[in-house]
Amino acid sequence: VESMPLAEGAEVPKVVFKARVRDASIPGDNPFTWKDVTTEDIFSGKRVVVFSLPGAFTPTCSSTHLPGYQGDYEAIKACGVDEIYCLSVNDAFVMRQWGLHQGLEEEKEDASNKLNPGNFKKVKLLPDGACLFTRGMGMSCVWEKERGFGERSWRYSMCVADGKIEKIFVE
């Protein structure tokens, strides 16, 4: 981690995520449009779990982390959590394809979550393509020599209540 991570009690960074959502007015194989989704949209007035990963399609993230949260989705929500997000420094296109590849069920109609329709029914995939949220969290890292990665997110999970970090666990 290149800077000090935010601590419990801190507010999450205020950024805009560039998401892709379904738009019924667009014909063809790619009926999606760009949508700005803010941290306020994600966190305000809600208790949310976020787990962040170095990258979509990476082995451990694909075999353990995303499937684990997806499998425990209902149990986590039963603990008073409104939503669960998986964040990675990947763009919306990569995150969508990873979710489909992982067998996540797409939400095609319900727009009550700002990332839908077009994201997923259970764990929502949150693209931090420009690394703005990750940098703001103090979780940016570069594994250039070890893996040839550019800027990525360190692995962490946190519970956020109304925009404030309740609990954070950093790998």
Side-chain angles (χ1 to χ4, degrees), residues 12 43 48-50 133 137 156-160 165 167-168:
V12 295
F43 299 108
V48 173
V49 167
V50 175
F133 188 85
M137 284 294 300
Y156 67 94
S157 61
M158 64 180 173
C159 186
V160 178
I165 301 169
K167 196 75 178 161
I168 187 165

Side-chain angles (χ1 to χ4, degrees), residues 19-26 30-35 37 92 96 100 105-121 124-125:
R20 300 276 291 165
V21 295
R22 279 190 175 278
D23 182 341
S25 71
I26 300 173
N30 190 16
F32 291 85
T33 189
W34 288 103
K35 182 177 184 181
V37 179
R96 173 173 169 71
L100 294 172
E105 184 180 359
E106 182 185 353
E107 177 54 68
K108 293 185 177 181
E109 295 176 9
D110 183 3
S112 59
N113 184 293
K114 298 280 187 173
L115 292 174
N116 276 321
N119 204 285
F120 299 96
K121 288 187 180 252
K124 311 297 183 286
L125 303 186

Side-chain angles (χ1 to χ4, degrees), residues 8 21 31 44 54 57 61 68 111 122 127 138 165:
E8 292 168 8
V21 295
S44 287
F57 292 101
C61 303
K122 291 186 177 181
I165 301 169

Side-chain angles (χ1 to χ4, degrees), residues 41-168:
D41 294 330
I42 300 292
F43 299 108
S44 287
K46 301 173 194 131
R47 189 163 184 240
V48 173
V49 167
V50 175
F51 63 104
S52 187
L53 315 167
F57 292 101
T58 56
T60 304
C61 303
S62 296
S63 67
T64 304
H65 300 117
L66 180 54
Y69 281 91
Q70 181 74 4
D72 290 335
Y73 182 82
E74 297 302 334
I76 294 168
K77 287 198 68 173
C79 294
V81 170
D82 296 304
E83 199 53 80
I84 303 168
Y85 294 95
C86 173
L87 182 137
S88 185
V89 181
N90 291 111
D91 62 54
F93 299 104
V94 171
M95 293 297 277
R96 173 173 169 71
Q97 289 304 311
W98 184 46
L100 294 172
H101 187 262
Q102 288 288 301
L104 302 186
E105 184 180 359
E106 182 185 353
E107 177 54 68
K108 293 185 177 181
E109 295 176 9
D110 183 3
S112 59
N113 184 293
K114 298 280 187 173
L115 292 174
N116 276 321
N119 204 285
F120 299 96
K121 288 187 180 252
K122 291 186 177 181
V123 174
K124 311 297 183 286
L125 303 186
L126 192 56
D128 189 20
C131 202
L132 299 176
F133 188 85
T134 298
R135 287 183 200 137
M137 284 294 300
M139 294 292 185
S140 171
C141 60
V142 177
W143 295 321
E144 182 180 341
K145 292 179 181 148
E146 299 89 347
R147 296 183 180 102
F149 286 178
E151 190 171 19
R152 299 291 179 114
S153 176
W154 201 252
R155 241 184 231 117
Y156 67 94
S157 61
M158 64 180 173
C159 186
V160 178
D162 196 25
K164 287 194 177 181
I165 301 169
E166 236 179 50
K167 196 75 178 161
I168 187 165

